[in-house]
Amino acid sequence: MRQQTGFLKLQTKRQGLTLLNLELSNWVLKSGISTGLLTLWCRHTSASFIVQENVDPNVKSDILNYLNELVPENRAYLHNTEGLDDMPAHIKTVLTQTQLSVPIVNACMVLGIWQGIYLFEHRKQRHIREIALHLIGQ
Amino acid sequence: MRQQTGFLKLQTKRQGLTLLNLELSNWVLKSGISTGLLTLWCRHTSASFIVQENVDPNVKSDILNYLNELVPENRAYLHNTEGLDDMPAHIKTVLTQTQLSVPIVNACMVLGIWQGIYLFEHRKQRHIREIALHLIGQ
Amino acid sequence: MRQQTGFLKLQTKRQGLTLLNLELSNWVLKSGISTGLLTLWCRHTSASFIVQENVDPNVKSDILNYLNELVPENRAYLHNTEGLDDMPAHIKTVLTQTQLSVPIVNACMVLGIWQGIYLFEHRKQRHIREIALHLIGQ
């Protein structure tokens, strides 16, 4: 049994979803661990993870639109010094995931056929985002 | 230290909650691992996990009603070819959990006395749902 | 490779957020495990975890206010025998996290610089809350 740790750095372009499947799969393959548990930790409070359908791009648009309506910018937030989109970004992070742990079997994540693991940038501007990775197994 | 992996297949009946405690407990017992970490991964994007009270069935009804109101079918979703309940099911999955990891102590999940781990079917029709299981420990 | 398990007991004062960083860091340090995975499990259905900004206290107030508006007390809940704040507390738990797993590197949680791990008391009254801890690594 052994462990592998690492960090993944990503430049997001704007509010929206970045598919991580390929980068994560490659990182797992390189580790040489074929059975185990992969954990992702997003080191930010205005970006997060979701797991969603990776086929119809409309699904992604609907999720963005829905969350923008659920957590609008034009509310009376007390924390408003970092831009109108900052406090909504914090709340969307609370309502989604800062961490995911995926079992690894046969050197692959056990995702369903339609599942994509996405980094969700909640801010309007581009940002550099860092994800901590941990893999334990053999 | 060792690992056990497996898959759990369930037939859901309709939109609603299926308690997994017994099936998970049995799987952990059979593994022979008494201290460890159990991870569940739901391999779908319109079903998910929640942890909730397992006593008063009204709690389950209130959660269903609340989420149906929070994520209504009659919104202008772009993704609408798979049924009115499909896009709401994706969004409800985003707002709940695709993965849970539960510590195992004395061969039992460390659940609180009232905690049930539920698979949440978000579609109106019955579906076969698959859960990947991973246990590491000794 | 080895494991450490334990329980953390906290007295919450009222609805709101309790920062856990220091207590968790100390527990990890005492374990002597420098690379691994720390898992927290909240043993309740009306309290949960969030990861959020630990600088401006207004962020915390905004999150409380937002969730109180999103999940109001004055809805027609079927489950209403344990107080007006009980069913909203269950729903807020569903929308946040019952479990978190944080990678440990150099004997520290890999948190981002602004990240706080909070226990979120959703009930109006003070409660004793118990968190199960599990750490695996070396």
Side-chain angles (χ1 to χ4, degrees):
Chain A
M1 200 79 70
R2 59 191 185 80
Q3 299 180 98
Q4 182 101 7
T5 60
F7 293 91
L8 203 64
K9 255 192 182 154
L10 291 172
Q11 164 96 58
T12 61
K13 286 186 217 155
R14 67 185 72 79
Q15 194 187 61
L17 297 163
T18 304
L19 189 63
L20 302 177
N21 290 25
L22 189 61
E23 209 139 359
L24 295 174
S25 297
N26 283 340
W27 192 84
V28 170
L29 274 179
K30 270 190 208 155
S31 77
I33 291 175
S34 60
T35 305
L37 186 68
L38 172 68
T39 299
L40 328 178
W41 181 271
C42 180
R43 305 182 81 193
H44 306 276
T45 60
S46 52
S48 59
F49 300 121
I50 67 167
V51 182
Q52 258 310 311
E53 205 199 89
N54 56 12
V55 184
D56 181 2
N58 281 337
V59 170
K60 295 198 271 178
S61 302
D62 281 334
I63 290 170
L64 258 75
N65 293 340
Y66 176 85
L67 279 173
N68 282 340
E69 220 173 286
L70 187 70
V71 193
E73 293 193 0
N74 59 344
R75 276 184 95 257
Y77 298 112
L78 301 169
H79 174 80
N80 51 24
T81 51
E82 295 178 56
L84 285 175
D85 63 328
D86 188 53
M87 198 54 226
H90 289 316
I91 293 174
K92 289 170 190 171
T93 299
V94 165
L95 296 175
T96 53
Q97 318 300 323
T98 291
Q99 168 261 322
L100 288 173
S101 293
V102 197
I104 304 296
V105 175
N106 296 327
C108 288
M109 299 185 285
V110 294
L111 302 182
I113 193 162
W114 312 115
Q115 283 186 319
I117 296 182
Y118 290 95
L119 177 70
F120 203 149
E121 172 61 68
H122 298 299
R123 300 300 306 267
K124 292 265 171 82
Q125 301 296 320
R126 60 198 308 174
H127 280 84
I128 290 169
R129 300 303 193 176
E130 201 176 27
I131 300 167
L133 301 175
H134 175 269
L135 177 54
I136 186 168
Q138 57 203 5
Chain B
M1 199 79 72
R2 58 190 185 83
Q3 299 179 98
Q4 182 101 8
T5 60
F7 293 90
L8 204 63
K9 256 193 183 155
L10 291 172
Q11 165 96 56
T12 61
K13 285 187 218 155
R14 68 185 71 79
Q15 194 186 63
L17 297 163
T18 304
L19 189 64
L20 301 178
N21 290 24
L22 189 62
E23 207 139 1
L24 296 175
S25 297
N26 283 339
W27 193 83
V28 170
L29 274 179
K30 269 190 209 156
S31 76
I33 291 175
S34 60
T35 305
L37 186 68
L38 172 68
T39 299
L40 327 178
W41 180 271
C42 180
R43 304 183 82 195
H44 305 276
T45 59
S46 52
S48 59
F49 300 120
I50 66 167
V51 181
Q52 258 310 312
E53 205 201 89
N54 56 11
V55 185
D56 180 1
N58 281 338
V59 171
K60 294 197 271 180
S61 302
D62 281 334
I63 290 171
L64 258 76
N65 293 340
Y66 176 85
L67 279 175
N68 283 339
E69 219 173 287
L70 188 69
V71 193
E73 292 193 359
N74 60 345
R75 273 185 97 257
Y77 297 112
L78 301 168
H79 175 80
N80 52 25
T81 51
E82 295 177 55
L84 284 174
D85 63 329
D86 188 54
M87 198 54 227
H90 289 314
I91 294 173
K92 289 170 189 171
T93 299
V94 166
L95 296 174
T96 52
Q97 318 300 324
T98 291
Q99 168 261 322
L100 288 173
S101 292
V102 197
I104 303 296
V105 175
N106 296 327
C108 288
M109 298 185 285
V110 293
L111 302 182
I113 193 162
W114 312 115
Q115 283 186 319
I117 296 181
Y118 291 96
L119 177 69
F120 203 151
E121 173 61 67
H122 298 299
R123 301 300 307 266
K124 291 267 171 81
Q125 302 296 320
R126 63 198 305 174
H127 281 83
I128 290 170
R129 300 303 194 177
E130 201 176 28
I131 299 166
L133 301 175
H134 175 269
L135 177 54
I136 187 167
Q138 57 203 4
Chain C
M1 198 80 69
R2 59 191 185 81
Q3 299 180 97
Q4 183 101 6
T5 60
F7 293 91
L8 204 63
K9 255 191 185 157
L10 291 171
Q11 164 96 58
T12 61
K13 285 185 219 157
R14 68 185 70 81
Q15 193 187 63
L17 297 163
T18 304
L19 189 63
L20 302 177
N21 290 24
L22 188 62
E23 208 139 0
L24 295 175
S25 298
N26 284 338
W27 192 83
V28 169
L29 274 179
K30 269 190 210 158
S31 76
I33 291 175
S34 60
T35 305
L37 186 68
L38 172 68
T39 299
L40 328 178
W41 181 270
C42 180
R43 304 183 82 195
H44 306 277
T45 59
S46 51
S48 59
F49 300 120
I50 66 167
V51 182
Q52 259 309 311
E53 206 200 88
N54 55 12
V55 184
D56 180 2
N58 281 336
V59 171
K60 295 198 271 180
S61 303
D62 281 334
I63 290 170
L64 258 75
N65 293 339
Y66 176 84
L67 280 174
N68 283 339
E69 220 173 287
L70 187 69
V71 194
E73 292 193 359
N74 60 345
R75 275 184 95 255
Y77 298 112
L78 300 169
H79 174 80
N80 51 25
T81 51
E82 295 177 55
L84 284 174
D85 63 329
D86 188 54
M87 198 55 226
H90 289 315
I91 293 174
K92 289 170 189 170
T93 299
V94 166
L95 296 176
T96 52
Q97 319 299 324
T98 290
Q99 167 261 322
L100 288 172
S101 292
V102 197
I104 303 296
V105 175
N106 296 326
C108 288
M109 299 185 286
V110 293
L111 301 182
I113 193 163
W114 312 116
Q115 284 186 318
I117 295 181
Y118 291 95
L119 178 69
F120 202 150
E121 173 61 68
H122 298 299
R123 300 299 308 265
K124 291 267 171 80
Q125 301 296 320
R126 60 198 308 173
H127 281 83
I128 290 170
R129 301 303 194 176
E130 200 177 27
I131 299 167
L133 302 175
H134 175 270
L135 177 54
I136 186 167
Q138 56 203 5

